[in-house]
Amino acid sequence: MKFKKPFFRNLNGPVIALLLFASQVNAQKVNITLETKSNALVLQADDKKNLNTIYFGKKLSSPTEYELIPSQFKQSAEYTGVLNSAYTSSGSRSLMEPAITVTHSDGNNSLDLRYVSHSIKKESDDVSLLSIILKDPIYDFQVTLYYKSYYKDDVLEQWSVIKHKEKGNVLLQKYASANLYLKAGGFWLNQYHGDWAKEMQPEESKITHGIKTLDTKLGTRANIFQPSVFMISMDKPATEDEGTVLFGALEYSGNFKTDIELDYLNNLKIISGINNYASPYTLKPNEEFTTPAFLYTFSTTGKGVASRNMHNWARNYRVLDGKGDRLTLLNNWESTYFDFNEAKLFDLLKDTKKLGVDLFLLDDGWFANKYPRNGDGAGLGDWEENKTKLPNGVSSLVKEAKSNNVKFGIWIEPEMVNPKSQLYEQHPDWVVKQPKREEYYYRNQLVLDLTNPKVQDFVFGVVNDLFIKNPELAFIKWDCNAVIYNAYSATLGNQNHFYIEYMRGLYKVLERVRAKYPTVPMMLCSGGGGRVDYAALKYFTEFWPSDNTDPLERIFIQWEYSYFYPAITSSNHVTDWGKQSIKFRTDVAMMGKLGFDIVVSHLKDNDLKYCQEAIKTYNIVKPIIWHGDQYRLANPREGSVASMLYLNGTKTSGVMFSYLVNNRYDEGSKMPVKLKGLDAAKKYNIKELNIYPGTNSTIDSKKSYTGDFLMNIGFNPNVNSGRTSVILQIDEIK
């Protein structure tokens, strides 16, 4: 038994992103081992070339021992030989949920995929791409499985490419991106649900036999009811710092489906991909169907490590300008709603400078003339400036912003249309609607048909025209409020392809936008967190977590998002929602990308002074918040205090946020909060930030503490009814 020599960059350098070992076992079996820094996924082509998963978990010190793992499991009989298939096909021997189902050109519904070959491509010192070719021995049908590994972050992306050379078309009934197979003593699912203003509500339950499906059929804003992210704990529910857990997320902005099946051997199958609901896909000979990537990371030391893995991966490899800067803004929405004119906006631009932020964002209501956009019932789709509100156009606002030494951004919702609009009157065939059914509206609007290339040109043109007229435009807030009712395209030949072609159309538009305007920051907005996913974040710098900006609610919402998305992507605005002080509201919003949506002129003197000083402080500490490691210290769902720490990579500086989340009598931080991630041998100084004018800190900034003390005993931020929000800066004493 011989193993190929592992690849190394050099004798002293790090191991490359993926270690690939291929072995011949009994001259028949082929083992393929993917190793990242901490984990291993081991696939095996058996003597009949069935490609199965024989291990996924913490990597072993000796790769030769992976092939010994199956012999240590004495479970019941496995009748099919493909229960643990790496990509389960249907219609042949499989008895469980498939990853792929097809109808061949001759009408046969069976598929049998066998291993042919595999290869490895090194993309960098950290990243490698494994491809495995599977073919049906009877039909000229092929699936290539791709595994992209990120060694340092213990992250894998997995997708499939499906093609055939049959004489006629093949119908793809199901076409998953990934098919994982896990073994453990038990499994727990942490999933999320929500609605408008109630995003990211967690639910954890033990997984029982049968299939649990997480999915959406909304067409556009996928996440409003069911986000595509989830966690699977193995053997016991994982905590922040203990337990084995897998984080999963489909990188797709449309209809998704994740099937989680506990089989009769008590093993777990996870199959994730595009939702095949109403979407059988006709694949022509030699055409390739590429699925979106399924993203996952695995930790044997709790949720915190998995979360930081995903954050690091996102900043380094996925989020647009993930390691860059962001603009702090003032938005006019809650100040004016639709009721504004040029004079009002000029005053708000002066307030932007007065507040001390970088950019003024003009929200909804600036466009349409025949059907003026004075509410959400008209004008959407007619993207010329409203002459009554803006007689001198958007360009006058851009110039005024420049004279105030701030930048200017603008809101658009280019994928949608109001029936009461010129666009709808002129191009009724551009709208997603069934020709013989009554129109049904979501927020008084319908969705434009992005399967139509002419509509794609129009949507791109909305963005392009704004930049042509206003080259100094510095920010786009891209909204997407409607879902798809009565799905139908007037120009698409095969309506079964509608949901898939809609997303392809959207991505084509975004590719064009980024090809021409690669660096302009853009926010993903969708009536809240309805469209955040890692496919969209290739084109956007940030997302809007929720329209619910009550700071107490936001602590809970932002907490859950933070497991999957780094702080630099989370747009958090200070508004008038809630009854908390301006300090509490601002402190909560600082745990991400800070913004304001308030009437600056209505602020009391000390409130304004507080905000101005808080922005200056934020500009100093934001690199730690955006680019540092995040540690959850006290869960708001488990006690009266919520606490979060951001720590730089050298463990020399950190920012700790603590809040009172229970207003009952005498509640507060009665126990010290144990910090994490510090260097036990270093000494640290702690001082309070964002102190409200006229008040004094109760924190003695002259004392020093070892990292050992702060992590094992902890530090009390002294949160109580009189100090409901406390921000602390932790610095190494040198």
Side-chain angles (χ1 to χ4, degrees):
M1 186 185 310
K2 294 183 179 179
F3 282 81
K4 290 184 178 180
K5 187 177 180 180
F7 297 99
F8 293 88
R9 184 165 66 91
N10 55 56
L11 291 175
N12 299 314
V15 181
I16 67 165
L18 173 69
L19 292 183
L20 175 68
F21 301 91
S23 65
Q24 299 296 326
V25 181
N26 297 326
Q28 297 292 330
K29 298 179 181 179
V30 178
N31 284 356
I32 307 170
T33 300
L34 296 77
E35 285 190 342
T36 57
K37 181 178 65 177
S38 304
N39 306 319
L41 172 63
V42 185
L43 308 175
Q44 184 181 85
D46 65 18
D47 53 0
K48 295 182 179 180
K49 303 304 181 184
N50 297 302
L51 184 68
N52 296 323
T53 302
I54 64 170
Y55 180 69
F56 182 42
K58 186 176 181 179
K59 76 176 181 181
L60 304 180
S61 58
S62 174
T64 60
E65 293 188 305
Y66 289 125
E67 68 183 72
L68 304 177
I69 293 173
S71 65
Q72 299 305 306
F73 287 86
K74 308 298 182 182
Q75 295 172 298
S76 302
E78 209 283 73
Y79 307 107
T80 67
V82 294
L83 192 62
N84 59 338
S85 173
Y87 197 70
T88 310
S89 56
S90 68
S92 53
R93 301 192 314 283
S94 175
L95 302 174
M96 310 303 284
E97 184 65 22
I100 183 169
T101 302
V102 307
T103 300
H104 294 284
S105 58
D106 63 359
N108 193 307
N109 289 320
S110 69
L111 182 64
D112 188 7
L113 294 173
R114 304 295 178 101
Y115 168 84
V116 175
S117 65
H118 67 272
S119 62
I120 178 71
K121 178 182 177 183
K122 177 182 175 182
E123 297 187 354
S124 72
D125 287 343
D126 188 49
V127 182
S128 292
L129 181 65
L130 167 68
S131 59
I132 305 175
I133 297 175
L134 308 176
K135 284 186 177 179
D136 190 301
I138 305 300
Y139 291 89
D140 198 349
F141 187 96
Q142 174 179 309
V143 176
T144 303
L145 303 180
Y146 288 93
Y147 299 81
K148 194 169 190 176
S149 75
Y150 302 84
Y151 186 86
K152 296 175 185 176
D153 298 322
D154 284 323
V155 164
L156 289 172
E157 287 182 289
Q158 187 177 339
W159 68 94
S160 59
V161 175
I162 305 166
K163 64 180 180 181
H164 72 93
K165 294 182 180 180
E166 298 185 26
K167 293 182 179 180
N169 295 336
V170 169
L171 192 65
L172 304 182
Q173 308 280 10
K174 189 175 182 181
Y175 29 84
S177 300
N179 183 165
L180 305 185
Y181 197 73
L182 309 177
K183 289 177 178 283
F187 302 92
W188 281 258
L189 170 66
N190 192 347
Q191 66 183 96
Y192 295 89
H193 68 95
D195 199 347
W196 181 82
K198 294 182 288 186
E199 289 83 1
M200 290 299 286
Q201 304 297 309
E203 289 180 319
E204 187 167 48
S205 58
K206 186 171 184 179
I207 298 174
T208 57
H209 292 85
I211 298 178
K212 171 75 172 184
T213 297
L214 311 178
D215 77 335
T216 186
K217 304 176 181 72
L218 304 178
T220 55
R221 44 183 307 196
N223 299 352
I224 183 173
F225 302 135
Q226 180 81 71
S228 58
V229 295
F230 63 92
M231 307 176 194
I232 300 286
S233 296
M234 301 169 66
D235 296 317
K236 63 180 180 180
T239 64
E240 196 67 28
D241 303 302
E242 294 181 346
T244 300
V245 64
L246 178 141
F247 281 24
L250 187 69
E251 299 174 27
Y252 194 61
S253 309
N255 293 346
F256 68 86
K257 183 180 183 182
T258 299
D259 292 317
I260 300 168
E261 182 175 26
L262 187 66
D263 66 25
Y264 62 89
L265 295 185
N266 302 315
N267 301 324
L268 193 73
K269 184 192 294 280
I270 303 172
I271 296 175
S272 187
I274 296 174
N275 198 337
N276 56 335
Y277 160 76
S279 298
Y281 192 89
T282 301
L283 190 67
K284 299 175 183 177
N286 297 307
E287 178 187 358
E288 290 190 349
F289 184 94
T290 302
T291 69
F294 177 66
L295 169 73
Y296 52 105
T297 187
F298 185 82
S299 165
T300 58
T301 52
K303 298 177 183 177
V305 169
S307 178
R308 289 185 288 278
N309 288 345
M310 197 162 279
H311 292 176
N312 289 333
W313 170 84
R315 287 188 295 254
N316 287 322
Y317 296 106
R318 182 47 43 86
V319 177
L320 185 68
D321 196 25
K323 301 181 78 172
D325 203 355
R326 296 292 187 270
L327 297 168
T328 305
L329 61 83
L330 174 66
N331 194 1
N332 74 300
W333 179 244
E334 295 199 15
S335 302
T336 66
Y337 294 98
F338 294 99
D339 183 19
F340 58 81
N341 55 34
E342 187 177 77
K344 275 188 179 181
L345 296 178
F346 276 22
D347 286 340
L348 289 174
L349 282 163
K350 292 180 176 64
D351 287 342
T352 307
K353 181 179 181 180
K354 182 179 180 181
L355 186 61
V357 295
D358 305 313
L359 176 138
F360 174 76
L361 173 63
L362 175 60
D363 215 292
D364 194 358
W366 57 269
F367 51 90
N369 288 293
K370 182 177 180 180
Y371 303 106
R373 184 69 169 173
N374 295 323
D376 66 8
L380 193 61
D382 301 342
W383 294 102
E384 75 281 353
E385 295 101 327
N386 181 275
K387 295 176 182 177
T388 301
K389 295 179 181 180
L390 302 177
N392 299 302
V394 170
S395 59
S396 67
L397 300 173
V398 177
K399 291 176 183 176
E400 183 66 15
K402 189 173 183 179
S403 69
N404 281 278
N405 199 31
V406 296
K407 298 180 183 295
F408 184 84
I410 201 164
W411 176 97
I412 56 174
E413 192 175 2
E415 299 165 65
M416 310 299 167
V417 63
N418 287 130
K420 193 174 182 180
S421 67
Q422 286 183 281
L423 179 66
Y424 184 89
E425 291 176 345
Q426 295 167 2
H427 299 286
D429 59 326
W430 284 12
V431 178
V432 175
K433 60 176 184 175
Q434 290 281 350
K436 297 181 181 181
R437 298 193 185 279
E438 181 182 358
E439 292 178 0
Y440 193 77
Y441 308 129
Y442 191 104
R443 202 190 176 199
N444 303 308
Q445 62 194 59
L446 294 167
V447 178
L448 291 175
D449 179 13
L450 278 173
T451 71
N452 185 341
K454 291 181 180 179
V455 176
Q456 295 170 24
D457 291 341
F458 170 80
V459 174
F460 171 75
V462 172
V463 181
N464 193 40
D465 290 347
L466 278 169
F467 281 110
I468 289 173
K469 295 176 183 176
N470 308 283
E472 294 182 302
L473 193 64
F475 187 87
I476 295 289
K477 179 181 178 182
W478 186 307
D479 215 338
C480 168
N481 285 301
V483 300
I484 292 177
Y485 294 119
N486 295 323
Y488 180 84
S489 167
T491 58
L492 188 64
N494 188 340
Q495 296 299 320
N496 290 332
H497 292 189
F498 173 79
Y499 286 113
I500 293 171
E501 292 299 338
Y502 179 89
M503 275 300 133
R504 287 176 174 172
L506 172 65
Y507 292 145
K508 286 178 183 177
V509 171
L510 293 174
E511 289 283 355
R512 290 173 66 182
V513 169
R514 282 311 179 192
K516 191 167 184 180
Y517 308 103
T519 61
V520 176
M522 296 201 306
M523 179 202 297
L524 269 170
C525 186
S526 187
R531 202 190 226 173
V532 55
D533 64 84
Y534 277 119
L537 283 171
K538 288 192 294 187
Y539 310 104
F540 292 82
T541 50
E542 59 218 64
F543 71 94
W544 183 238
S546 177
D547 279 351
N548 185 343
T549 54
D550 181 309
L552 184 60
E553 295 286 345
R554 268 302 188 107
I555 290 170
F556 291 81
I557 293 172
Q558 291 169 198
W559 183 278
E560 300 301 334
Y561 273 118
S562 77
Y563 282 108
F564 301 94
Y565 303 101
I568 193 171
T569 63
S570 180
S571 293
N572 306 333
H573 289 186
V574 181
T575 74
D576 289 330
W577 278 49
K579 299 179 181 179
Q580 292 80 9
S581 67
I582 191 69
K583 170 175 166 53
F584 191 99
R585 286 179 273 154
T586 304
D587 290 356
V588 171
M590 282 176 62
M591 292 193 301
K593 192 256 183 182
L594 176 65
F596 289 82
D597 202 335
I598 56 176
V599 184
V600 176
S601 60
H602 292 180
L603 291 175
K604 297 176 183 177
D605 289 344
N606 276 346
D607 283 358
L608 176 60
K609 184 178 179 181
Y610 172 80
C611 290
Q612 292 169 331
E613 291 302 315
I615 291 167
K616 293 177 183 177
T617 299
Y618 180 71
N619 288 335
I620 295 171
V621 301
K622 65 186 181 184
I624 300 174
I625 299 169
W626 293 348
H627 306 299
D629 292 325
Q630 185 177 53
Y631 294 88
R632 295 168 204 83
L633 307 180
N635 192 324
R637 299 182 188 277
E638 297 175 359
S640 297
V641 173
S643 191
M644 184 87 77
L645 172 67
Y646 301 86
L647 189 65
N648 68 2
T650 58
K651 304 179 185 295
T652 57
S653 294
V655 184
M656 176 179 171
F657 295 84
S658 298
Y659 309 97
L660 183 67
V661 295
N662 183 347
N663 291 320
R664 297 195 68 179
Y665 176 72
D666 197 33
E667 287 301 325
S669 55
K670 297 177 181 180
M671 304 287 285
V673 177
K674 293 181 181 180
L675 279 67
K676 301 173 185 177
L678 301 174
D679 186 325
K682 292 183 186 294
K683 280 197 170 185
Y684 295 93
N685 168 262
I686 297 177
K687 68 176 181 180
E688 186 169 353
L689 305 177
N690 282 17
I691 301 170
Y692 189 81
T695 64
N696 298 311
S697 175
T698 63
I699 304 300
D700 186 349
S701 61
K702 296 179 181 179
K703 290 184 178 180
S704 65
Y705 309 85
T706 63
D708 178 61
F709 179 90
L710 293 173
M711 290 188 291
N712 288 292
I713 304 301
F715 185 86
N716 198 315
N718 194 20
V719 172
N720 54 54
S721 60
R723 285 168 50 83
T724 57
S725 173
V726 177
I727 302 180
L728 302 176
Q729 182 171 336
I730 299 101
D731 288 311
E732 180 189 3
I733 300 173
K734 296 182 180 180

Coordinates of all heavy atoms in Angstrom, one line a residue, residues 66-74:
Y66 N -6.8 6.6 8.0 CA -8.2 6.9 7.6 C -8.9 5.7 7.0 O -10.1 5.5 7.3 CB -8.2 8.1 6.5 CG -7.8 9.4 7.1 CD1 -6.8 10.2 6.5 CD2 -8.5 10.0 8.2 CE1 -6.4 11.4 7.0 CE2 -8.2 11.2 8.7 CZ -7.1 11.9 8.1 OH -6.8 13.2 8.6
E67 N -8.2 4.9 6.3 CA -8.9 3.7 5.7 C -9.3 2.7 6.7 O -10.1 1.8 6.4 CB -7.9 3.1 4.6 CG -6.7 2.4 5.2 CD -5.8 1.9 4.2 OE1 -5.1 2.7 3.5 OE2 -5.7 0.7 4.0
L68 N -8.8 2.8 7.9 CA -9.1 1.9 9.0 C -10.5 2.3 9.7 O -11.0 1.5 10.4 CB -8.0 1.8 10.1 CG -6.6 1.5 9.6 CD1 -5.6 1.6 10.8 CD2 -6.6 0.1 9.0
I69 N -10.9 3.5 9.4 CA -12.1 4.0 10.2 C -13.3 3.2 9.9 O -14.0 2.8 10.9 CB -12.3 5.5 9.8 CG1 -11.2 6.3 10.4 CG2 -13.7 6.0 10.3 CD1 -11.2 7.8 9.9
P70 N -13.7 2.8 8.7 CA -15.0 2.1 8.5 C -15.0 0.8 9.3 O -16.1 0.4 9.7 CB -15.0 1.8 7.0 CG -14.2 3.0 6.4 CD -13.1 3.2 7.4
S71 N -13.9 0.1 9.5 CA -14.0 -1.2 10.1 C -14.3 -1.0 11.6 O -14.7 -2.0 12.3 CB -12.6 -1.9 10.0 OG -11.6 -1.1 10.7
Q72 N -14.2 0.2 12.2 CA -14.5 0.4 13.6 C -16.0 0.6 13.9 O -16.4 0.7 15.0 CB -13.7 1.5 14.1 CG -12.2 1.3 14.0 CD -11.7 0.0 14.6 OE1 -12.0 -0.2 15.8 NE2 -11.0 -0.8 13.9
F73 N -16.8 0.8 12.8 CA -18.2 1.0 13.0 C -19.0 -0.3 12.8 O -18.9 -0.9 11.7 CB -18.7 2.1 12.0 CG -18.3 3.5 12.4 CD1 -17.1 3.9 12.0 CD2 -19.1 4.3 13.2 CE1 -16.7 5.2 12.3 CE2 -18.7 5.6 13.5 CZ -17.5 6.0 13.1
K74 N -19.7 -0.8 13.8 CA -20.4 -2.1 13.8 C -21.9 -1.8 13.7 O -22.7 -2.3 14.6 CB -20.0 -2.9 15.0 CG -18.5 -3.1 15.2 CD -17.8 -3.8 14.0 CE -16.4 -4.0 14.3 NZ -15.7 -4.7 13.2

